[in-house]
Every structure is written in structure tokens, then in C-alpha cells.
Amino acid sequence: MTKLGVNRREFMSWMSRSGVALAAAGGLWPALAGSAGADTVQVTVLRGATLIDATGAAPCPDSTVVLVADRIVAIGGAGLAAPAGARIIDLRGKYLVPGFWDMHTHLMQLRTIVPKSHIVYGVTGVREMWGLPESHQARRDFEAGTALGPRMVIGSAIIDGPASFYGRGMLIVRTEAEARAAVRAEHAKGAEFVKVYQMLTPELLTAIADEAEKLGLRIAGHLADFVPVDAALVLRQKSYEHMFGFLFSTSREEAEYRRKIAELPFDPAASYPWFRAVRELERQAGDSFSPAKAVALARKMRERDGWLSPTLRVLHMVTSPKETFAGDERMKYLPPFYKEYWANGAAGWAPVTPEQIARQREFYERQLRLVGILHKAGVGVIGGTDCGNPYCFPGSGLHDELERMVAAGLSPMAALQTVTRDAARHVGLASEVGTVSVGKKADLVVLDADPLASIANTRRIHSVVSRGRVFGPADRVRLLAEIERAALEFQPPTTAARSAAVVMPGSCC
């Protein structure tokens, strides 16, 4: 249905007599000013859905939500009259929730595939965890309206050192001066936070934290294996990805495992075996889990505003037999070479023997339970997929993550909030996105079934609203067809030419 124009004067009159909470000047007036046409505004009315605003309030049946351009300007019940000339969308029997945020993404550089994949599955915002030049260009295009894609918060290039188990395309720092210079350089390029990695020493992380604080940047990323969680919290690291290190910090025998890590043979020129050896020690540390230490860790995280970004889908992948996900029908939405690429990446981690499979399943279940324990104890949890890693799909993968969150013990509402309200809080955008509230950006998802009855219902998407633009059922079918076609047409680089700009490692990033 084509949007209709609403006369501005009539719209202002409608505002004054509506009797509902309307957008404050900071939200409504930019929407009006940005509307097309000198004398009209573009108004969309979403009528009849049950509103789940993600604040924690009870669902509101038969709601009416009024949008002007990319802002929510009014919320009311069935009795809220629509302005004359508005586009009215009947959503009776549907459920309206905020747009989702994937808080750990990559691969925005696959411009014909990944951005649309996010939007079509309701992901209207992302935290991009590797600040490549292509990511910044993508955001400029999305904000300008010249390309379709989610809102973006973009980190620095990944900083690691004095070595790295991955290495390719990363910033390797070996001295405190190099660490400080790397932070300054990434800030100059537009990074909104500093992404840190696995092998940083306490001295290097301290230098990064000090320089980041001077520049007003947060720190996010992997917990370095040489740095306990409580020490990283003191250094103001704000988010912790993939659960790395958390079973050490909740072990009754933590000191013994720290000693073992320090004694592991370490070759900077071939550091991957060291990294894998630490992961095996971490699996073993789960045998001596201490509930009391978990509670103490949760208290420290609350006090220091530390957030957990567990990326449960990727943790499930790396602890599962290699054939577990290989037949996923969503592979058709990625270039054909990803079938082999992801299979090889998964095989590098996959348990093989029955004994290995049982041990890794137990390891994953322990990580899952720890997420639930920390969340129950008040630690902020944010949902992210690490898309780009094997079988971590852009867009649709967020629904896998939500189901894993519920499996960890979160309620459906709490899981939903990890990718809406709490995601927005973490990136400092709570006044703009994250809940369905007057004055906020018009990023919304319409579902065919109640996500609070079953979190799996977030997959049952009817429509998506991104930046005020409504993508209905026919639009979503069209977008999926475009993604599938773009995937088939994608020309993969040669093996020698593959870089971080196109592919991801076969492990957490």
C-alpha cells in the first residue's frame, strides 16, 4: 500500500486533540522536518497488534502505534483515531516488538548479502566487532538511505599481542607504546569502542585501557587468557565475549589453573596450540565450579558495569560434532564456497570420539548454566551471534541465539530484552532504540505468534519496520529471493586472496 500524505496543519491539530502521550521535541520535530513534501508528513499507523514494548510491562492488546518518518510519535489503544490520510496497517492477531540488535556481528562487507539478511529477519541494529573500512562505508550508505541495512555501532580493528592465535588482518602490539598508538589510530578512524583479544598481557591491556579512557572509548572483546575477569573489570573492560575465562574465574582451583597457564610452552610464532591447550584447561576447570565464586563474580560485574556477551550459538558449534549443522537450509543464502569453508572451520574444533563428544557436551552445558546463574544474579547479558563463524548465520542466527538464551534459564521476556532494551543500554542508545516508546526510532518487528509463549515465535516474522520503512510479507519474500540470487552470483576470491574483508576464521572472533 502506498503511503499517503497527511497535511501538516491537520496533523498538528490531530496531535493537540489526541489525548495520548506524544513525542517530545527531540523525537517528533526531526521526524516532521525530515518528511517528504513541503506541506505533508508521511504517517503510518500500526493498528490492532498486541504490543510487547520490552520494558518488562505486561503486553498491551489491540494497540495503536503511530509513526512519522522514522520516529514513533504516539502509542495508544484501539480508540486512538488515526490522522486523515495516514497509511493504516491492520495487525490484528499479531504481536509488535522492538527491532532486534545483534550485539556481535561480522561480515557486513558482503554488501549484497549480509545487510539485507539482517533486516529481513528483524535485526535492525548491530554491534560490528571488527571495524574494517568496509564496515564504516556500509554504515554511511545505510544512514544516507542509498543502501538497505541496520543501524551500526562499530568497534576498532582487533587489537592483540604480543602474538595472536589468529593474526590475519589484526593489530598486533608488542609494547605499551604500540598499544597506545593503536588505540589512538583506531579512534581517529571512527571506532566507537576498542576491541581487545585473547593474548594481551596485563601490561598491554593496562596501556590500552588507559588510552581508551583518555579518548572516551569503551573496551569490549575477548577476556585475555593472561588476565582474570576481576582484573579486566578493574581496567574497565565492559563486555566479555564467548565466555572465555569465566570457568577459570568460577573454579575452586583457579590459582592452580592460573599456574598451569603460566607454565604452558608458548611460541609467539605458532601460538594456536597454546590457545587450544588453554581451552582444554578451561574445560577441566569446570569440574571444580564454585557457586560461591560465581556469586562473587556477579557482584563484581554489577559493581563495575561488566556485561556478558556469551554468543551461545558459536559455543554450541565449537563443542558439537562437525555434521551437526552442515545440512542447514539457510546455506543457500550464503555464497556456495561457504559450504566447504564452514565445514572445514567446524571440523577444526569438532569432537570426534564418543568420549570427546560427551566431554564437549558437558563443557557447553556448564557454560550455558553459568550464563543463567550470572543473569539471575543481576549481570547484564546481551545477545549476539558472532555471525561469520561456521553456521552462525547473519540475521536468522539471532533467533538461534534467543533459543539458546532460554535454554540457559532466561525467561522469554528476558531473552528478548538481551537483544532490545539491554542491547540499547549497553551501547548507550537507550534514548533512541530498544523499546517501543514514544520519541524513539521506528525500528519494529511484527510477529505472527506470541514470543512470550515461546521464544521460537520470534522466527515467525510477519513484517519488519526499519528506519520507519515497512517491509511486509511480500517485501520479505522479495528480499530473501534477492539474497539467494546474490549469494549464487557472488564471485569468491582465490584462496590466496581471501582476507578478513571476505571470510572469517573458523573460531570465535
Side-chain angles (χ1 to χ4, degrees), residues 107 110-118 120-121 327-339 342 388 392-397 476-490:
L107 283 191
L110 294 182
R111 287 290 300 275
T112 59
I113 299 169
V114 170
K116 289 180 181 177
S117 297
H118 286 303
V120 78
Y121 286 106
D328 198 304
E329 64 178 12
R330 291 172 290 178
M331 291 301 300
K332 66 183 178 181
Y333 297 121
L334 288 167
F337 81 86
Y338 266 74
K339 182 175 182 179
W342 274 7
C392 298
F393 295 90
S396 63
R476 294 187 65 248
V477 169
R478 171 180 55 80
L479 287 173
L480 286 168
E482 291 176 2
I483 295 165
E484 186 174 4
R485 182 165 60 251
L488 287 172
E489 294 172 352
F490 184 84

Side-chain angles (χ1 to χ4, degrees), residues 8 11-12 15 23-35 68 71 73:
R8 285 175 185 263
F11 181 76
M12 299 298 290
M15 283 176 50
L28 174 59
W29 303 126
L32 289 173
S35 297
V68 172
R71 291 280 178 172
V73 300

Side-chain angles (χ1 to χ4, degrees), residues 139-164:
R139 178 167 63 180
R140 287 191 289 270
D141 293 343
F142 302 156
E143 294 293 336
T146 57
L148 176 62
R151 303 183 195 276
M152 297 177 67
V153 173
I154 304 176
S156 68
I158 301 174
I159 303 176
D160 204 0
S164 180

Side-chain angles (χ1 to χ4, degrees), residues 164-185:
S164 180
F165 79 87
Y166 180 41
R168 179 180 55 191
M170 305 177 76
L171 286 176
I172 304 300
V173 297
R174 297 178 177 84
T175 67
E176 294 179 34
E178 289 179 352
R180 292 176 181 276
V183 173
R184 292 194 298 271

Side-chain angles (χ1 to χ4, degrees), residues 278-300:
V278 175
R279 302 283 70 78
E280 172 57 21
L281 288 175
E282 186 168 17
R283 184 193 66 77
Q284 296 172 19
D287 292 338
S288 53
F289 173 74
S290 166
K293 291 199 69 175
V295 170
L297 176 60
R299 176 180 53 78
K300 293 174 184 176

Side-chain angles (χ1 to χ4, degrees), residues 223 229 242-255 257-258 261 278-290 293-294 297 308 315 362-371 373-374:
L223 175 68
V229 179
H242 317 308
M243 301 294 291
F244 284 139
F246 275 68
L247 286 177
F248 288 135
S249 291
T250 54
S251 168
R252 293 187 301 274
E253 300 173 8
E254 180 180 6
Y257 281 105
R258 297 289 175 198
I261 292 172
V278 175
R279 302 283 70 78
E280 172 57 21
L281 288 175
E282 186 168 17
R283 184 193 66 77
Q284 296 172 19
D287 292 338
S288 53
F289 173 74
S290 166
K293 291 199 69 175
L297 176 60
L308 184 62
L315 296 185
E362 183 180 38
F363 181 30
Y364 172 69
E365 291 296 332
R366 284 171 171 168
Q367 292 173 308
L368 203 64
R369 286 195 297 271
L370 183 53
V371 171
I373 290 169
L374 293 176

Side-chain angles (χ1 to χ4, degrees), residues 95-265:
Y95 295 79
L96 184 65
V97 299
F100 308 132
W101 275 70
D102 187 334
M103 294 296 284
H104 193 125
T105 67
H106 302 285
L107 283 191
M108 195 60 72
Q109 313 86 277
L110 294 182
R111 287 290 300 275
T112 59
I113 299 169
V114 170
K116 289 180 181 177
S117 297
H118 286 303
I119 296 299
V120 78
Y121 286 106
V123 177
T124 58
V126 301
R127 185 177 64 146
E128 189 76 355
M129 298 298 289
W130 194 335
L132 299 167
E134 295 90 342
S135 302
H136 289 279
Q137 183 58 54
R139 178 167 63 180
R140 287 191 289 270
D141 293 343
F142 302 156
E143 294 293 336
T146 57
L148 176 62
R151 303 183 195 276
M152 297 177 67
V153 173
I154 304 176
S156 68
I158 301 174
I159 303 176
D160 204 0
S164 180
F165 79 87
Y166 180 41
R168 179 180 55 191
M170 305 177 76
L171 286 176
I172 304 300
V173 297
R174 297 178 177 84
T175 67
E176 294 179 34
E178 289 179 352
R180 292 176 181 276
V183 173
R184 292 194 298 271
E186 290 303 300
H187 177 257
K189 293 176 183 176
E192 293 166 281
F193 61 91
V194 178
K195 168 75 179 285
V196 294
Y197 218 55
Q198 205 73 40
M199 294 185 175
L200 289 168
T201 64
E203 295 76 17
L204 291 172
L205 185 58
T206 299
I208 289 169
D210 183 59
E211 202 65 29
E213 185 175 37
K214 292 177 183 177
L215 297 171
L217 296 177
R218 282 185 156 204
I219 300 173
H222 290 205
L223 175 68
D225 284 321
F226 295 111
V227 182
V229 179
D230 52 357
L233 288 166
V234 171
L235 292 174
R236 299 172 298 282
Q237 182 168 337
K238 291 300 182 184
S239 83
Y240 298 82
E241 315 298 309
H242 317 308
M243 301 294 291
F244 284 139
F246 275 68
L247 286 177
F248 288 135
S249 291
T250 54
S251 168
R252 293 187 301 274
E253 300 173 8
E254 180 180 6
E256 176 64 14
Y257 281 105
R258 297 289 175 198
R259 182 189 65 77
K260 290 179 179 179
I261 292 172
E263 293 177 352
L264 282 174

